[in-house]
Amino acid sequence: MVLNRKSILARMGLKGDWKRRLVVEPFLSENRDHDSSDASIDFHLGNRFTFLRSRHAVQHDPLADPVHDVATTERFVPLGQDLSLEPGHVVLGTTLEWFRFPSDLIAYVIGRSIWGRRGLLLVTAQAVHPGSSGTITLEMSNLGDVAVRLRPGTLIGQLFFHRVEEVQEPEPPLRPRKSPFAGATRPILGEYRWSESEKLLLNL
Amino acid sequence: MDSSWQVRCLQDRIQSLNSEIARVRQKDHPYPEPNAIFRTLLAVLSDRQSRFDKAVKRYSSAGRERLLEETALTTATQLDEIAEAFGLADRVDSARIPFEILRAVSWVASSILEEACRVAVRLDGAYNYSIVSCRRRFTRLRWNKFWDEATRELGPEGRFTILVLGFPSAHANSILLHALAAHELGHLVRGRFTEELEEIRTKAVEAAKHRHSELLQEYILDNVRRREGVLGRDAYDESSRRMEARLGQLADDWLGEVFADLVAATLVGPAFLAAFDEIVLELGKPSLTHPPGTLRRGLVKEYLQQRLQKVADDAVWSGVLQREVASDPLFGPREVDGDPDRPLYSVGQTICREGLRELSAVAMRIPSPLETADLKKIVDQMEDHIEHLSPPSAGLDDSAPITPDEFWRLMYAGWHFRLNDERFAEFKTNNAWDDGNAEHVIGNLVMHALESMELRHQWQKYRENKE
């Protein structure tokens, strides 16, 4: 079930009830007031950006040692300044807000159409898992023909919240999600973690 | 001396310095503050170059070489000053710098220094924290008009300063350690109480000299320089004057450090000592500029027990406050072999002890964010947030104005959580982290909270103005 704006705000107001409480910080109260969308909350673009560039390989293999193939360049763009994203380029950004999810909520990150219509693709249905905590990394690519100017602080996307039914009865556990990205504030590439099935299938 | 050769060297040096500053200025700096420093330096350099060129023309004729040499020497000194100031804006653009907290630090610095401040952070290869107020330094160098011109473009605040905070490069992202910024700000707070602190210094030095008269007498005699043509009495007087000057400088520096410590303790309480212990490892070792860490810890502890007794009695801080560093083989008193100023260190310790009561009285005039009846409740709430991986600022109520005090309380709460053994152990277990990861995430939570509270403060102001 998708939560409406009222339910999302109610979750944020559950002080002391950490099993159900959703935290969005900073939550600038405009988000509380305007009702442009009834079933989501908007988030702002943060200040940290990470670019990927090839070291010497012409092709990147995510399963190989990432340090070998690609290098990352990090930039901090203060509020009031901007960053140009050229056509065909990809950049990792973050949300200005820190999100703390209870273990019975999941959210989908959706770009705002005002950006999408100008060629900026802001991930496709990236899910934020229950129990996640930190700023959300945004994978942004420019599919248009002209460069897009990105300004930290702009409302760039929105989150749609869903309830995860299995853990609602009798009550959701108080359990943070064990993720290498937990508590992160910077957009990082992360290392590929091989699953057991991948270890088998890719080595057959 | 061949003046023309010296002139050429200086002109080359001016050119080289000019092109280096101009080149670095063009680099992409996230914030505009370093540009104000570069603009000032380029303007000073251009002014000095023009003066030097005029002097070369005027004094190049025969018989005036001496004047030319004097001008060259003065110019060389000025170039050294420019080069040193250039170092202030070096390594201020690394993405490793926690730029997120700069707006918040500028806000709290402006509040405590009662002067409009912008902050830049420089990564320092040395393992220490430092602070420089560009306006104060440039005024001392008589560069005011260049500074005023260069900063005019930065904003509407009018007269303001840029504080360059040096963070140890290896710990750029150790947010909790940056509680030591409170000590660095303390050095500048000193400027608000110059006359009183001068009086305290004079009294403390007199008392210490009286108590250590024999030791100082020996020091004077040991440092008498026998030179041909100088009478024994004159040599003694010269040594005595040197001792007075050296002791005066030591008293100034040491009391300055102790006062900055008291300011830091006022702002973040024992969290200052927790961060201090991680950075200042050779606690037993004094120097001409810094009293031994063991003494500083002792004085801060005394001050905390007097001023913030409830805080000092909190069991979480007992590990920090009761630490017996003096008897620790690693941190205990160090013999400084071969250091001719060793006797002055004993006198310096007496000066600091003598001055403590009055320094404390001055520091007490600075309001402490920890002197609030609700401190326990506020800190509990912040820790509750950290425990649940939520930035501790999220508990701040929007209906009340957010003030710079929250900055210091967030720092305090971050350390309080870290040093609460039970809570920290549970935090690690719940998230399957080791000490390093857990500390890193606490740092991230505190950093995000510092950034968020400043943004929320700006948002409150914006809404108020709109209404």
Side-chain angles (χ1 to χ4, degrees):
Chain A
M1 187 177 72
V2 179
L3 269 63
N4 64 18
R5 168 68 66 99
K6 198 176 161 191
S7 305
I8 298 169
L9 296 178
R11 285 299 192 116
M12 290 170 63
L14 291 175
K15 290 184 179 166
D17 182 1
W18 288 107
K19 289 179 178 171
R20 290 186 175 80
R21 183 172 179 190
L22 169 73
V23 174
V24 183
E25 175 70 0
F27 187 68
L28 305 181
S29 47
E30 184 187 36
N31 248 327
R32 212 185 292 272
D33 303 340
H34 83 97
D35 57 359
S36 61
S37 57
D38 286 332
S40 69
I41 56 166
D42 295 337
F43 58 79
H44 301 84
L45 182 61
N47 306 98
R48 291 265 174 195
F49 297 91
T50 299
F51 291 91
L52 274 65
R53 58 183 172 83
S54 169
R55 270 191 206 280
H56 42 69
V58 289
Q59 195 178 35
H60 175 44
D61 178 3
L63 274 64
D65 179 1
V67 178
H68 185 69
D69 282 2
V70 290
T72 56
T73 307
E74 202 180 324
R75 270 192 67 187
F76 180 89
V77 181
L79 295 167
Q81 293 187 33
D82 58 58
L83 173 88
S84 180
L85 185 61
E86 302 298 319
H89 284 209
V90 175
V91 66
L92 303 183
T94 62
T95 55
L96 186 70
E97 292 85 357
W98 178 295
F99 294 91
R100 184 260 178 200
F101 279 67
S103 49
D104 67 336
L105 283 188
I106 188 171
Y108 290 103
V109 182
I110 310 287
R112 291 179 76 213
S113 56
I114 193 81
W115 291 99
R117 288 169 195 180
R118 283 155 177 81
L120 183 74
L121 187 71
L122 184 69
V123 299
T124 45
Q126 186 199 6
V128 184
H129 289 272
S132 297
S133 194
T135 56
I136 298 173
T137 297
L138 308 169
E139 295 114 36
M140 295 180 284
S141 54
N142 182 359
L143 302 182
D145 292 328
V146 288
V148 177
R149 190 175 286 184
L150 299 175
R151 291 187 173 90
T154 45
L155 287 170
I156 199 156
Q158 53 207 318
L159 285 179
F160 288 86
F161 292 86
H162 297 246
R163 279 171 77 180
V164 181
E165 293 204 8
E166 287 76 16
V167 292
Q168 281 172 39
E169 296 297 335
E171 62 173 15
L174 179 56
R175 186 182 58 215
R177 176 176 155 77
K178 291 182 176 61
S179 152
F181 303 118
T185 55
R186 294 180 174 206
I188 50 170
L189 199 54
E191 275 183 44
Y192 195 91
R193 289 191 169 186
W194 289 61
S195 69
E196 291 305 312
S197 61
E198 282 173 320
K199 281 180 197 166
L200 168 71
L201 294 171
L202 276 80
N203 287 307
L204 279 177
Chain B
M1 184 188 286
D2 181 355
S3 309
S4 61
W5 169 80
Q6 199 179 16
V7 166
R8 264 203 320 277
C9 283
L10 271 173
Q11 281 169 337
D12 284 352
R13 199 165 151 199
I14 291 172
Q15 287 301 329
S16 146
L17 199 49
N18 187 70
S19 60
E20 183 63 6
I21 298 173
R23 188 184 68 78
V24 176
R25 188 188 159 192
Q26 283 178 0
K27 278 177 75 181
D28 182 20
H29 294 97
Y31 281 101
E33 284 74 16
N35 277 329
I37 300 175
F38 297 137
R39 274 201 300 273
T40 307
L41 298 183
L42 288 172
V44 174
L45 198 54
S46 162
D47 179 73
R48 299 303 182 252
Q49 181 173 21
S50 130
R51 287 179 193 210
F52 183 60
D53 288 347
K54 276 183 198 159
V56 171
K57 267 188 197 161
R58 198 177 306 152
Y59 302 141
S60 289
S61 55
R64 306 187 81 179
E65 281 91 355
R66 182 135 182 226
L67 281 171
L68 184 55
E69 271 176 32
E70 278 173 18
T71 310
L73 277 175
T74 313
T75 307
T77 309
Q78 289 167 345
L79 291 184
D80 283 350
E81 290 165 352
I82 295 170
E84 202 185 324
F86 177 51
L88 287 176
D90 198 20
R91 305 187 75 194
V92 291
D93 52 356
S94 165
R96 292 175 53 234
I97 292 171
F99 290 110
E100 286 85 347
I101 62 171
L102 294 197
R103 292 178 57 96
V105 179
S106 301
W107 181 38
V108 297
S110 301
S111 159
I112 194 167
L113 298 178
E114 299 174 347
E115 173 185 19
C117 299
R118 304 273 193 98
V119 169
V121 165
R122 183 174 56 85
L123 295 186
D124 198 334
Y127 210 70
N128 69 330
Y129 281 79
S130 60
I131 195 165
V132 170
S133 163
C134 289
R135 192 180 60 74
R136 289 186 198 186
R137 174 175 286 197
F138 294 173
T139 302
R140 207 170 54 237
L141 293 167
R142 298 182 183 171
W143 298 350
N144 331 27
K145 71 170 182 177
F146 306 107
W147 173 251
D148 290 344
E149 187 67 34
T151 52
R152 202 162 290 153
E153 290 173 27
L154 271 184
E157 297 103 326
R159 192 162 172 264
F160 69 92
T161 188
I162 292 173
L163 305 179
V164 181
L165 269 171
F167 283 3
S169 179
H171 286 297
N173 278 299
S174 306
I175 302 300
L176 293 181
L177 285 186
H178 301 339
L180 291 172
H183 166 87
E184 299 307 326
L185 284 174
H187 280 298
L188 300 182
V189 170
R190 198 179 157 190
R192 278 171 53 192
F193 306 103
T194 313
E195 283 176 17
E196 286 145 288
L197 296 180
E198 180 55 35
E199 243 174 68
I200 294 170
R201 186 187 78 110
T202 309
K203 274 165 71 178
V205 169
E206 283 312 311
K209 272 163 68 179
H210 184 69
R211 190 171 306 171
H212 294 278
S213 55
E214 280 179 29
L215 186 69
L216 289 172
Q217 192 62 29
E218 274 174 41
Y219 178 83
I220 294 168
L221 290 171
D222 285 349
N223 288 280
V224 168
R225 288 180 197 157
R226 306 265 175 225
R227 288 198 312 258
E228 206 176 321
V230 177
L231 294 175
R233 182 70 213 169
D234 290 346
Y236 176 86
D237 288 347
E238 194 184 300
S239 176
S240 178
R241 277 196 300 277
R242 265 204 314 274
M243 181 279 287
E244 290 281 351
R246 228 165 162 70
L247 186 63
Q249 187 59 49
L250 179 137
D252 205 35
D253 290 344
W254 281 31
L255 287 174
E257 290 298 330
V258 172
F259 181 70
D261 287 348
L262 300 187
V263 174
T266 303
L267 298 173
V268 291
F272 163 63
L273 288 184
F276 179 85
D277 283 354
E278 292 207 12
I279 288 288
V280 186
L281 290 178
E282 286 193 297
L283 285 173
K285 193 177 165 188
S287 72
L288 275 174
T289 53
H290 287 73
T294 41
L295 173 72
R296 291 170 68 182
R297 290 187 98 270
L299 299 178
V300 168
K301 192 174 148 185
E302 216 173 295
Y303 172 74
L304 282 170
Q305 277 159 348
Q306 190 190 352
R307 171 135 196 210
L308 296 165
Q309 202 188 344
K310 271 190 186 167
V311 169
D313 288 346
D314 185 334
V316 166
W317 300 115
S318 62
V320 172
L321 292 173
Q322 307 309 325
R323 201 169 284 161
E324 287 298 332
V325 289
S327 57
D328 190 312
L330 187 64
F331 301 136
R334 286 278 153 90
E335 290 297 316
V336 191
D337 294 333
D339 187 339
D341 294 314
R342 225 170 99 186
L344 294 186
Y345 301 150
S346 306
V347 187
Q349 301 214 24
T350 305
I351 291 173
C352 291
R353 288 202 184 93
E354 285 288 333
L356 179 66
R357 197 173 53 83
E358 288 182 79
L359 284 180
S360 300
V362 177
M364 294 236 192
R365 282 158 49 194
I366 301 164
S368 171
L370 308 178
E371 274 175 330
T372 165
D374 291 342
L375 184 68
K376 191 177 176 323
K377 194 176 149 201
I378 294 169
V379 173
D380 273 351
Q381 195 183 43
M382 287 178 175
E383 289 189 306
D384 202 24
H385 277 267
I386 294 173
E387 188 176 322
H388 294 97
L389 298 180
S390 162
S393 57
L396 298 176
D397 191 353
D398 260 332
S399 59
I402 294 175
T403 68
D405 282 354
E406 312 297 352
F407 182 98
W408 304 114
R409 286 198 278 260
L410 285 165
M411 276 287 185
Y412 175 87
W415 270 109
H416 195 270
F417 184 86
R418 169 63 189 91
L419 296 180
N420 186 330
D421 292 340
E422 208 174 305
R423 235 170 166 168
F424 185 65
E426 202 181 345
F427 183 67
K428 286 192 301 180
T429 311
N430 285 345
N431 294 286
W433 284 326
D434 59 18
D435 278 17
N437 283 335
E439 268 184 23
H440 179 69
V441 173
I442 295 172
N444 279 351
L445 284 160
V446 171
M447 178 172 76
H448 195 86
L450 298 176
E451 183 189 17
S452 296
M453 62 135 218
E454 197 273 337
L455 290 175
R456 284 172 57 182
H457 160 72
Q458 295 292 348
W459 180 243
Q460 283 181 341
K461 268 195 348 190
Y462 174 82
R463 301 276 286 197
E464 273 169 27
N465 291 340
K466 226 177 160 195
E467 283 161 13

